Amino acid sequence: MFKIDHIQDEYSNLDQIELKSTDNKSLAKIAIRLGGSLQELLLSNHMIIKNLYPLSYDVSYASAILFPF
């Protein structure tokens, strides 16, 4: 089971959607105003994509291309 929250990230000041498992072992943070880019991904307590704070998106373009079309 997963919980969906709309959050305002205090570090990056981004509007995000957070998908979190009820056992807190998996988490995805998706930036709404940055094309739905994946800002953070935790699966089975393994960090796959780390939040790059204090780097801003316009410096790092983290997760900018999700699908190679």
Side-chain angles (χ1 to χ4, degrees):
M1 183 74 69
F2 284 86
K3 181 179 177 184
I4 302 171
D5 286 317
H6 180 235
I7 60 171
Q8 183 73 28
D9 189 287
E10 69 256 14
Y11 299 115
S12 61
N13 200 28
L14 289 175
D15 231 3
Q16 297 183 352
I17 297 294
E18 181 181 82
L19 300 149
K20 183 188 268 187
S21 64
T22 52
D23 62 4
N24 292 324
K25 291 183 179 181
S26 297
L27 166 81
K29 288 185 180 177
I30 302 163
I32 299 169
R33 295 184 182 147
L34 297 176
S37 66
L38 191 57
Q39 298 297 302
E40 189 172 332
L41 181 62
L42 175 75
L43 296 173
S44 300
N45 281 333
H46 298 310
M47 187 62 69
I48 307 298
I49 297 175
K50 182 180 174 184
N51 188 340
L52 294 179
Y53 176 81
L55 294 177
S56 64
Y57 180 76
D58 61 344
V59 173
S60 67
Y61 294 102
S63 186
I65 299 174
L66 296 177
F67 302 101
F69 290 110

